[in-house]
Amino acid sequence: VFQVERAIFKRFMHGDSKLEDGDFAGFLDSYLSEARFKPGLKKIVPLLGRFGLLQRDEFAKKIYIDALAKDFTTSLASLEYMCEVSPMSASSLVWRLLPSV
């Protein structure tokens, strides 16, 4: 029977990436870096292109940004591009996407 807790313990407490007991910040950094999708160049270009098409619909843009922040690891270059495309919502972009950088 698969157990998530056992799998996480096995992945982060043994082997090459063994973390010290009580290293909560290290665990969260390691877990989030592996749990989030890291899009390559062929994937990030359509994602940023779709963002560019959402400039007139603020509600759809907010939902899109929130989805990116939860599921993807964003690069600084991508964040910079998004701020250039949408300068009016640059502060909102940085506030929402900075934890995923």
Side-chain angles (χ1 to χ4, degrees):
V1 175
F2 178 76
Q3 293 179 343
V4 173
E5 184 179 342
R6 186 182 305 162
I8 289 173
F9 181 80
K10 190 175 185 180
R11 170 64 181 96
F12 295 109
M13 299 305 184
H14 296 296
D16 296 336
S17 64
K18 183 177 179 182
L19 297 170
E20 296 295 322
D21 194 27
D23 184 11
F24 300 116
F27 170 76
L28 286 176
D29 287 340
S30 299
Y31 178 76
L32 289 176
S33 70
E34 294 208 15
R36 288 185 174 156
F37 179 70
K38 298 173 191 134
L41 184 61
K42 289 184 177 182
K43 299 290 183 184
I44 197 69
V45 170
L47 286 171
L48 294 176
R50 176 63 62 185
F51 177 77
L53 295 175
L54 297 174
Q55 292 312 306
R56 297 182 192 265
D57 189 354
E58 290 296 320
F59 182 71
K61 185 168 43 172
K62 180 186 176 302
I63 292 171
Y64 194 78
I65 293 167
D66 288 342
L68 284 176
K70 291 177 185 172
D71 297 332
F72 293 90
T73 299
T74 310
S75 67
L76 283 174
S78 299
L79 181 59
E80 181 181 6
Y81 172 80
M82 293 169 92
C83 288
E84 287 175 8
V85 169
S86 182
M88 296 301 286
S89 42
S91 61
S92 174
L93 282 166
V94 171
W95 182 74
R96 285 192 166 95
L97 291 175
L98 198 58
S100 68
V101 172

